[in-house]
Amino acid sequence: MAYLKELKVTFTRKRVDDDLLNKPVDSPEQVYALFKDMQNETKEKVVVLHLNPQLEVLSYELAAIGTGTQALIDPVELYRNAMLARAHSLIVVHNHPSGNPKASPADLDMAKRLLDVGKLLGMELQDFIIIGDDTYTSLRQDKVF
């Protein structure tokens, strides 16, 4: 006898202010308001927001927890889970425990890889946001892409 794996996708909830949901995510400030508590983390964390065609948040995923200086992100994993959530596009958010939200060369390289994969899949990367101490950096806002 053999076994067949069953895929189960489950969702949990995060309490947020009513005014942050059910409207399009049209600025990095909105994303920062949702996840600014990441600035207090001692390890790098990567969160992916799954968006519908109207750019409203469908769900989010804690995609990676790393060390104090880096987190391993696999574009295939990010996009696979976004597809399971039936996302149209996504936003990647991660923190820098150092407090400095300036994009590192590794951040820029990962953002480019995610952009390329997103173009192939037809699932656009809307933004790549880095959270630091009481501030953030948006690669879209900074015209990196």
Side-chain angles (χ1 to χ4, degrees):
M1 175 177 280
Y3 288 93
L4 180 64
K5 296 179 186 176
E6 176 186 3
L7 176 65
K8 291 184 180 183
V9 179
T10 60
F11 294 93
T12 57
R13 297 188 232 186
K14 174 182 170 122
R15 180 168 286 240
V16 297
D17 292 334
D18 292 341
D19 61 338
L20 296 175
L21 292 182
N22 302 320
K23 64 180 184 178
V25 177
D26 57 8
S27 72
E29 289 85 11
Q30 285 174 276
V31 176
Y32 176 69
L34 283 168
F35 293 98
K36 65 183 173 187
D37 58 323
M38 288 175 64
Q39 70 185 342
N40 301 318
E41 298 289 341
T42 57
K43 294 181 179 183
E44 281 201 15
K45 289 188 174 181
V46 180
V47 170
V48 181
L49 296 177
H50 306 131
L51 307 175
N52 69 15
Q54 293 76 35
L55 302 180
E56 297 168 339
V57 178
L58 292 168
S59 59
Y60 79 94
E61 168 194 15
L62 176 58
I65 300 174
T67 66
T69 58
Q70 64 183 350
L72 179 62
I73 307 171
D74 182 2
V76 172
E77 291 288 325
L78 295 188
Y79 277 99
R80 178 178 51 219
N81 292 336
M83 282 186 247
L84 288 171
R86 301 180 57 91
H88 182 263
S89 60
L90 51 90
I91 296 173
V92 174
V93 184
H94 90 99
N95 66 317
H96 281 176
S98 68
N100 180 356
K102 183 176 185 274
S104 68
D107 292 331
L108 297 173
D109 180 58
M110 181 52 61
K112 182 186 179 324
R113 290 178 60 205
L114 290 169
L115 274 170
D116 293 343
V117 172
K119 286 179 186 174
L120 285 172
L121 296 174
M123 190 180 295
E124 184 179 357
L125 176 65
Q126 294 291 332
D127 206 343
F128 190 100
I129 297 171
I130 304 164
I131 295 178
D133 288 343
D134 297 319
T135 190
Y136 67 90
T137 295
S138 160
L139 298 189
R140 170 87 58 192
Q141 200 171 48
D142 290 352
K143 303 202 184 328
V144 172
F145 59 87

